Amino acid sequence: MSAFSGHVPGSRDYRMLLIGLFFGGVATFAQLYATQAVLPQIAGDIGSGPASAALTVSASTLGLAAAVLPWSLVADRIGRVPAMASGLVLATVLGAATLLADDLVVLLTLRLLEGAALGAVPAVALAYLSEEVHPRHVAAAAGSYIAGTTVGGLSGRVVSGWVGELAGWRWGVASVILVCVVAAVIFLVLIPRARGFVSGRDREERGPTVRRRIGVNLRSPVQRALYAQGFLLMGAFVAVYNYLGFHLAAPPFSLAPALVTLLFLAYLAGTASSPRAGALAVRYGRFPVLVLSIGVMATGVALMAVPALVVVVVGLILFTAGFFGAHAVASGWTPVAAAPEARAQASSLYYLGYYAGSSVFGWLLGVVFGSVGWFWFLVVVLAMCAAALGAALVSLRAVRPSP
């Protein structure tokens, strides 16, 4: 019997894997950003400024950032699919508990724990993909998974925003939890069992320890440059979506909350761009597609500085498409560029940087926005895009393409 070399497009398991991970992404990211569309309502309810309200997003992403490495170790022991399933079930229970919180500290604590539970899917999904999909098709498969995360982020924001405007932010978040329950069930039913997985005990008998696998990744200039993409670009992305609503609710736009919520439909640009970026990376190479995506993102930032709603919307669409294109390439590149025995840790470190950026800049750029306004806020965002591009040019240009 020949060794398993990975599922290929056209096979039943390949389709089931992509659909299952798509809904796993929906279940994860809808919960993670469920409060983002109702931040102005939360700010009004607790009597705080934009940066304080945004802590409900930063708390969940901070929990996720802290949990990705532990989840990768759990997944090495019990398997990729059981780890992802356990995290989704636990997160859904904690998400429901946040509806009962009547104090900001309790709410932030529950959001922190919910984010930690949600860390199971992003910590493991790409390592699972790299083990279960034929190497030639990993980039395209990763793009499809990232598309699911965009649908999750979109549904979490739009559903909570619309329901929250009618019935309050708690009911808005409750409606998202229901969506996540359905998506998690679909994930559990469809996701194929792992065939390329080697348990942690077997890895340690045949190769380096966990500490050494983490160290190998951290010493790699390629891995550090990929982690920088996640840290800087995700930080910029979350900050824009955190504070755009406050910007557009103020003069000269003065948009109603329902109209501000509609702007989250720009997420559909990411749903389209992430699988497209993965396909282009297979054809032309990851590096040029990453650079192009960052350029599209930066163009969107520049357009959002124009005080005209149509131009801001076009800029937001470009910004979103560019971000998810870059994320699809960088996240899919990370486990492929790592040593086979250190793939789970490589993906986890990428997401550690990714959500650390979300937590840090999601709050810190709120201070910038509140202190010096939207224009200088965008200047900082543009500088972050430039720094990510610089890291890519220095460390990723000479990386040989995957076969």
Side-chain angles (χ1 to χ4, degrees):
M1 185 175 180
S2 60
F4 176 66
S5 60
H7 303 301
V8 296
S11 67
R12 179 181 180 274
D13 281 346
Y14 183 85
R15 291 192 299 271
M16 298 284 278
L17 184 149
L18 291 193
I19 296 171
L21 279 183
F22 180 93
F23 281 99
V26 170
T28 301
F29 290 88
Q31 288 190 68
L32 193 66
Y33 296 111
T35 62
Q36 194 173 52
V38 290
L39 288 180
Q41 291 175 305
I42 294 175
D45 188 35
I46 64 177
S48 68
S52 295
L55 287 174
T56 60
V57 177
S58 291
S60 61
T61 55
L62 179 63
L64 195 154
V68 286
L69 276 173
W71 273 118
S72 76
L73 303 181
V74 171
D76 275 350
R77 292 290 178 174
I78 70 173
R80 312 301 192 207
V81 174
M84 290 188 284
S86 300
L88 280 180
V89 172
L90 178 59
T92 302
V93 172
L94 289 166
T98 62
L99 305 175
L100 305 176
D102 56 2
D103 176 82
L104 179 61
V105 174
V106 174
L107 175 62
L108 293 179
T109 301
L110 288 171
R111 289 285 291 169
L112 180 75
L113 295 174
E114 183 182 4
L118 289 171
V121 174
V124 177
L126 292 169
Y128 172 75
L129 272 176
S130 69
E131 293 166 349
E132 303 301 319
V133 174
H134 190 280
R136 180 174 178 80
H137 304 288
V138 168
S144 296
Y145 161 65
I146 298 303
T149 71
T150 68
V151 172
L154 171 63
S155 60
R157 291 162 166 97
V158 171
V159 171
S160 66
W162 284 344
V163 175
E165 185 181 3
L166 296 174
W169 67 267
R170 293 179 191 274
W171 283 106
V173 173
S175 63
V176 173
I177 298 299
L178 292 177
V179 170
C180 293
V181 168
V182 174
V185 169
I186 295 174
F187 167 82
L188 294 172
V189 170
L190 295 184
I191 197 73
R193 67 177 182 85
R195 294 177 58 188
F197 171 69
V198 178
S199 72
R201 288 186 179 88
D202 291 341
R203 290 171 190 269
E204 290 174 5
E205 288 173 4
R206 315 190 308 199
T209 63
V210 170
R211 181 179 298 178
R212 293 184 66 181
R213 294 200 296 269
I214 292 173
V216 165
N217 285 314
L218 290 177
R219 287 191 295 271
S220 166
V222 171
Q223 291 292 333
R224 291 199 302 267
L226 290 168
Y227 304 154
Q229 305 306 304
F231 180 72
L232 294 165
L233 298 182
M234 179 58 166
F237 179 77
V238 167
V240 166
Y241 271 89
N242 273 357
Y243 303 111
L244 181 63
F246 292 97
H247 173 61
L248 295 179
F253 304 101
S254 302
L255 294 186
L259 293 177
V260 172
T261 297
L262 283 174
L263 292 178
F264 287 115
L265 293 174
Y267 247 66
L268 293 173
T271 306
S273 70
S274 49
R276 182 61 178 164
L280 290 173
V282 170
R283 184 172 182 181
Y284 298 108
R286 291 179 172 90
F287 177 75
V289 178
L290 176 62
V291 170
L292 175 63
S293 297
I294 296 173
V296 172
M297 192 176 174
T299 301
V301 175
L303 290 176
M304 283 188 285
V306 178
L309 183 59
V310 173
V311 180
V312 171
V313 171
V314 171
L316 182 64
I317 291 171
L318 290 175
F319 176 78
T320 304
F323 167 73
F324 279 108
H327 173 44
V329 172
S331 62
W333 198 347
T334 299
V336 174
E341 69 275 8
R343 284 172 177 164
Q345 286 70 41
S347 289
S348 296
L349 287 167
Y350 174 85
Y351 278 104
L352 173 61
Y354 185 83
Y355 289 107
S358 173
S359 301
V360 171
F361 294 113
W363 171 79
L364 185 60
L365 267 67
V367 177
V368 174
F369 172 68
S371 301
V372 294
W374 181 249
F375 176 80
W376 289 107
F377 167 88
L378 291 180
V379 169
V380 176
V381 170
L382 195 60
M384 292 167 67
C385 293
L389 178 61
L393 291 172
V394 168
S395 299
L396 301 177
R397 182 202 295 266
V399 177
R400 294 179 62 186
S402 300

